[in-house]
Amino acid sequence: MARGKDTRVKVILECTGCVRTGVSVNKKSRGISRYITQKNRHNTPGRLELRKFCPYCYKHRIHGEIKK
């Protein structure tokens, strides 16, 4: 079976709030929140966006899919 035909693929989700502002609320910890998850390529062919908790913003924010 070919590897490129897998229906479930790993994707990286990155916080859109941290990327836009570039400065976090807490000055001690700067960074970008990232989560790793899986998606079904056939059911969601577009980019995945989920609302998840960002430990740098201390809020629930939209995390969008990025390229590896």
Side-chain angles (χ1 to χ4, degrees):
M1 191 179 201
R3 280 195 98 125
K5 299 289 182 176
D6 293 337
T7 56
R8 298 205 64 82
V9 293
K10 289 186 179 178
V11 295
I12 300 172
L13 303 175
E14 187 175 80
C15 180
T16 56
C18 292
V19 174
R20 286 187 194 144
T21 59
V23 178
S24 78
V25 176
N26 186 359
K27 301 296 182 189
K28 291 188 288 183
S29 62
R30 292 187 180 200
I32 297 173
S33 172
R34 290 190 175 154
Y35 286 93
I36 298 173
T37 187
Q38 292 181 346
K39 76 171 186 176
N40 189 323
R41 190 181 299 181
H42 296 298
N43 292 342
T44 53
R47 293 198 176 253
L48 185 65
E49 287 188 343
L50 296 174
R51 188 172 169 168
K52 300 191 74 68
F53 181 76
C54 177
Y56 299 106
C57 301
Y58 295 106
K59 295 180 182 177
H60 281 85
R61 299 241 177 163
I62 302 265
H63 283 66
E65 181 181 339
I66 62 169
K67 288 187 176 182
K68 290 183 182 180

